[in-house]
């Protein structure tokens, strides 16, 4: 070889990627080591090793202690089909032999579209695209190489004679285009908001573009042309099959419009239209599913080898059409309900909407929850038209500051530093900036899955406890600058003179509600053991009682402030009068709700204590645990909270065991408390949407309230059944009954787990 000026060895210079050559056969494995040395003696251990392996049972592993994980991985042989999951015997095993240009019947297209729908819903449920939609050979042929225009988005890129193409392929192509563009919007929406990939959704597209370069308008035109082709009568297919295909294309078009509903955030009815229309079309797809003929060979797990992924190929996720159809139906029903959030009434109704919407069973899919986040937080505007200040001031006004000068926007115009209104404006803005993130975190938290909601709330209450200290400091500054005088507060339990402290009161009230939700979610998520229910229900009653006392103080202050209003502000048509009426209604609602929670929780606590004392609740063996350690574990989220202070373990034990009370007395306490809870729930169930602050979610709120009422009724029946058994039995330990505690799914309400007394 001539010298080219570079020091390249001849054996490397002779290499050529373009030359064909015959591969030399692999050398025969040597049985003995080729190493020759006077100090090395080679021995063939194959037979001994084979005999030793036969002594191991299937699944048993023998490992030397010095053989580390690093050495184990290093021992894996690359390109060995038994060890390398990415290795195939031949190139024929890598490529799929399915022909995407083959003619399809109408029944096969229906079958393929329904299979694609199943994979799409599996993706919405949290499975990756690599095991769902990207296993479709038709999808792969559309996406690779990435099309730059609608003309390139075809199953066969080198096919120039479109007139000879099978019309059914045109229908399938239009469906796939709409589906992939919809997936693009879904993926981008979810990625732009707060979610947990390991829990909710996989956004990885494995270097596939999902038609990012093709406009929505071009895809809509393609779907419209396909629908026109179906309705033209030129296709030699059954009329019912044509209608089935048309309904699927129509649903795909509506789905594509629905995922773009945030573009119409200021037009609720326009945003709701595609969701509502799709709900009416979905039943037709379910009815015509039997007409389809599945084409299983159009899907292959081998396509995963072509994806940009570090994971080995995994099996295709197969879910039944009935399950996928159910998820699809709930997706559009939930989406239709979600549009109600765009009609704003007040801050507490918005909070009720978010809480009740996320508490639905089954929980809305991640995409619907993402849309809720978009509506709430997009571009730092609440529902697309309200600033954070507006919604926070509305909440201040409802809870503790009706008609308060602190919320008067005219204060912002004052520039005189010595003017008290300037100080008020400055301090209120400081508090809004401090509290805004914690306040918005409540809404964002309830947009997550239920497990994540409780976990995040455990962190949020610490922020609110710190915020309360800041609120007290700002209240004190404003109180001094405005020369505020004390207000005489008269409640059922005490009479005292105190300052209003509205910001601190608002913060403390919100913190108490968060703490109650944490305990209640513990029952829903089955975090507690059954023998711990009595103690946790007692702690819930403890928190609810603290909320009652706090609300009584706020109510007394608001009532006195209303009495001190000038005569012109007391007129029914005045803004101040309306604000005080609204605040009074909310405080009465919260007092009733807190009283119901306190009574029902206390009733169940006493009832569980009686059952445990009778030996009807089995305590599992815990050799490595103690009551005090479990108490510390359950109360860990509340231990850092300053107010209300966490009861000591001794106080908790005394309140939950009640050693000085007889079983009859415990049942008497439970019965009286439950009767009060039932009366309160009956009063709650008669409130209107405005009085219950559930505008936009009244049906869900009312259903939840009635389920709580059913739980209270069942509690009364269970107490009566146990009392009758005790009266008819000579010895309490010889009761011929057993106790069954329902799971949250089996109970009337997932927060109130009422034991069932069953005779045996």
């Amino acid at each position: 070889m001539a010298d080219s000026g570079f020091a390249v060895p001849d054996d490397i210079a002779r290499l050529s990627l373009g030359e064909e050559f015959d591969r030399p056969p692999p050398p025969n494995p040597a049985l003995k080591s080729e190493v020759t040395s006077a100090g090395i003696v080679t021995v063939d251990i194959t037979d001994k090793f084979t005999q030793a392996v036969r002594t191991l049972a299937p699944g048993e592993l023998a490992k030397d202690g010095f053989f580390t994980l690093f050495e184990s991985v290093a021992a894996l042989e690359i390109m060995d089909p038994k060890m390398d999951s990415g290795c195939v015997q031949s190139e024929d095993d890598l490529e799929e032999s399915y022909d995407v240009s083959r003619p399809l019947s109408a029944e096969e297209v229906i079958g393929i579209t329904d299979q694609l729908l199943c994979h799409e819903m599996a993706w919405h449920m949290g499975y990756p695209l690599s095991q769902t939609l990207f296993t479709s050979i038709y999808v792969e042929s559309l996406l690779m190489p990435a099309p730059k225009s609608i003309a390139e988005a075809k199953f066969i890129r080198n096919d120039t004679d479109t007139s000879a193409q099978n019309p059914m392929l045109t229908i399938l192509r239009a469906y796939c285009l709409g589906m992939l563009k919809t997936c693009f919007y879904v993926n981008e929406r979810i990625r732009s908001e707060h979610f947990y990939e390991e829990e909710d959704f996989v956004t990885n597209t494995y270097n596939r573009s999902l038609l990012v370069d093709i406009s929505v308008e071009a895809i809509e035109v393609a779907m419209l042309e396909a629908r026109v082709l179906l309705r033209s009568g030129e296709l030699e297919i059954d009329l019912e099959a044509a209608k089935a295909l048309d309904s699927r294309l129509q649903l795909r078009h509506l789905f594509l419009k629905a995922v773009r509903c945030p573009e119409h955030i200021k037009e609720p009815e326009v945003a709701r239209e595609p969701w509502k229309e799709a709900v009416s079309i979905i039943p037709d797809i379910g009815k015509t599913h039997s007409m389809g003929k599945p084409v299983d060979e159009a899907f292959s797990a081998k396509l995963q080898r072509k994806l940009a992924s570090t994971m080995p190929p995994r099996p295709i996720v197969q879910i039944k059409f009935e399950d996928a159809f159910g998820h699809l139906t709930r997706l559009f029903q939930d989406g239709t309900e979600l549009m109600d959030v765009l009609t704003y009434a007040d801050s507490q109704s918005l909070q009720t909407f978010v809480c009740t919407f996320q508490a639905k069973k089954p929980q809305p899919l991640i995409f619907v929850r993402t849309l809720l986040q978009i509506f709430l937080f997009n571009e730092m505007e609440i529902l697309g038209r309200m600033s954070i200040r507006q919604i926070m001031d509305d909440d201040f006004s409802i809870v503790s500051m009706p008609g308060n000068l602190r919320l008067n926007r005219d204060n912002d115009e004052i520039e005189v530093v010595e003017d008290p209104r300037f100080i008020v404006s400055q301090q209120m803005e400081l508090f809004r900036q401090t509290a805004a993130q914690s306040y918005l975190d409540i809404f964002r938290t309830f947009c997550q899955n239920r497990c994540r909601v409780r976990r995040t709330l455990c962190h949020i209450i610490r922020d609110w406890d710190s915020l309360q200290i800041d609120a007290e400091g700002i209240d004190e500054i404003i109180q001094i600058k405005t020369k505020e005088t004390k207000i005489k507060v008269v409640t059922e339990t005490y009479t005292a003179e105190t300052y209003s402290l509205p910001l601190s009161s608002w913060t403390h009230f919100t913190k108490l509600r968060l703490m109650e939700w944490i305990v209640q979610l513990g029952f829903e998520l089955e975090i507690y053991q059954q023998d711990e229910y009595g103690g946790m229900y007692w702690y819930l009653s403890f928190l609810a009682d603290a909320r009652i006392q706090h609300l009584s103080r706020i109510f007394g202050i608001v009532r006195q402030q209303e009495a001190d209003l000038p005569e012109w502000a007391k007129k029914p048509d005045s803004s101040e009068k309306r604000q005080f009426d609204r605040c009074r209604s909310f405080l009465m609602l919260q007092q009733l709700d807190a009283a119901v929670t306190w009574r029902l929780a206390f009733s169940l606590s006493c009832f569980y204590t009686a059952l445990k004392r009778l030996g009807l609740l089995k305590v599992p063996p815990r050799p490595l645990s103690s009551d005090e350690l479990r108490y510390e574990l359950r109360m860990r989220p509340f231990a850092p909270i300053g107010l209300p202070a966490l009861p000591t373990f001794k106080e908790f034990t005394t309140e939950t065991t009640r050693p000085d009370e007889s079983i009859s007395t415990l049942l008497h306490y439970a019965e009286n408390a439950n009767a009060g809870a039932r009366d309160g729930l009956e009063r709650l169930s008669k409130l209107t949407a405005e009085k219950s602050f559930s505008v936009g979610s009244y049906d869900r709120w009312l259903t939840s309230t009635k389920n709580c009422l059913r739980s209270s009724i069942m509690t009364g029946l269970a107490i009566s059944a146990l009392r009758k058994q005790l009266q008819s039995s000579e010895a309490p330990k010889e009761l011929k009954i057993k106790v069954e505690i329902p799971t949250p799914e089996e109970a009337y309400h997932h927060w109130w787990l009422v034991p069932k007394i069953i005779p045996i």
Side-chain angles (χ1 to χ4, degrees), residues 62-118:
K63 178 182 176 297
D64 186 85
F66 295 98
F67 195 70
T68 64
L69 176 62
F70 177 81
E71 292 168 327
S72 301
V73 175
L76 298 179
E77 297 185 27
I78 305 301
M79 299 307 295
D80 182 351
K82 295 182 179 180
M83 306 300 293
D84 187 355
S85 60
C87 176
V88 293
Q89 293 290 348
S90 65
E91 295 182 359
D92 295 337
D93 294 336
L94 181 62
E95 298 294 334
E96 268 298 333
S97 59
Y98 183 82
D99 183 11
V100 293
S101 65
R102 77 175 185 87
L104 296 174
S105 65
E107 290 74 16
E108 288 177 322
V109 175
I110 294 174
I112 293 175
T113 55
D114 286 354
Q115 287 176 289
L116 289 172
L117 179 63
C118 291

Side-chain angles (χ1 to χ4, degrees), residues 55-349:
T55 63
L56 296 176
E60 188 177 356
L61 177 66
K63 178 182 176 297
D64 186 85
F66 295 98
F67 195 70
T68 64
L69 176 62
F70 177 81
E71 292 168 327
S72 301
V73 175
L76 298 179
E77 297 185 27
I78 305 301
M79 299 307 295
D80 182 351
K82 295 182 179 180
M83 306 300 293
D84 187 355
S85 60
C87 176
V88 293
Q89 293 290 348
S90 65
E91 295 182 359
D92 295 337
D93 294 336
L94 181 62
E95 298 294 334
E96 268 298 333
S97 59
Y98 183 82
D99 183 11
V100 293
S101 65
R102 77 175 185 87
L104 296 174
S105 65
E107 290 74 16
E108 288 177 322
V109 175
I110 294 174
I112 293 175
T113 55
D114 286 354
Q115 287 176 289
L116 289 172
L117 179 63
C118 291
H119 288 306
E120 185 180 8
M121 288 299 103
W123 180 54
H124 278 273
M125 293 165 59
Y127 293 99
L129 284 169
S130 60
Q131 293 178 263
T132 53
L133 287 175
F134 285 176
T135 62
S136 169
I137 300 175
Y138 286 102
V139 169
E140 176 69 11
S141 62
L142 278 178
L143 294 180
M144 291 303 292
K148 300 299 182 182
S149 65
I150 192 69
E152 293 183 10
K154 297 187 297 183
F155 296 136
I156 307 172
R157 298 298 173 89
N158 59 357
D159 182 19
T160 57
D161 185 13
T162 57
S163 61
Q165 189 178 21
N166 186 286
M168 288 297 101
L169 289 177
T170 303
I171 306 300
L172 181 58
R173 170 180 174 269
Y175 183 91
C176 291
L177 290 174
M179 177 190 68
L180 291 173
K181 196 63 177 180
T182 300
C183 292
F184 165 76
Y185 276 104
V186 169
N187 203 57
E188 291 301 310
R189 301 280 190 213
I190 294 176
R191 288 176 58 187
S192 66
E193 296 299 332
H194 193 71
F195 77 104
Y196 294 89
E197 184 164 345
E198 69 276 10
E199 300 172 8
D200 297 313
F201 194 76
V202 180
T203 58
N204 192 355
T205 59
Y206 307 97
N207 202 32
R208 298 296 189 263
S209 66
L210 294 178
L211 307 183
V212 64
D213 295 322
I214 302 179
S215 67
V216 176
E217 293 75 15
I219 293 177
E220 288 179 334
V221 169
M223 289 191 288
L224 179 60
E225 290 175 349
R227 295 187 65 189
V228 171
L229 178 62
L230 282 171
R231 297 180 178 183
S232 64
E234 299 176 2
L235 304 180
E236 298 179 356
I237 61 174
D238 183 72
L239 179 60
E240 294 299 322
K243 291 182 178 179
L245 290 170
D246 184 68
S247 63
R248 282 158 174 76
L249 285 173
Q250 185 180 6
L251 177 66
R252 185 50 59 192
H253 185 213
L254 291 172
F255 204 167
L256 185 55
K257 291 178 62 177
V259 296
R260 292 180 290 145
C261 65
E263 300 172 4
H264 306 286
I265 190 172
K266 297 182 180 180
E267 302 172 291
E269 292 306 316
V270 177
R272 186 198 312 272
E273 183 180 354
W275 297 94
K276 188 176 181 180
E277 190 174 350
V279 171
S280 62
I281 294 175
I282 289 176
D284 296 336
I285 295 177
K287 294 176 183 177
T288 56
H289 169 66
S290 59
M291 298 174 58
K293 178 182 178 182
V295 184
D296 295 332
E297 58 270 21
F299 299 83
S300 174
K302 295 180 182 179
L303 296 177
Q304 297 180 52
R305 301 181 186 275
K306 299 182 179 181
L307 303 177
S309 173
T310 58
M311 299 299 296
R314 295 180 177 181
I316 299 176
V317 174
Q318 300 282 1
I319 64 174
K320 296 181 180 179
F321 178 80
E322 292 74 16
D323 296 334
F325 185 75
H327 284 290
L328 179 69
T329 303
R330 285 191 296 271
L331 174 66
F332 281 97
Q333 289 175 344
D334 292 340
T336 304
E337 289 185 32
L338 180 62
M339 298 305 116
D340 292 332
V341 75
L342 297 176
T343 305
Y344 180 82
D346 55 75
S347 62
Q348 287 297 324
S349 290

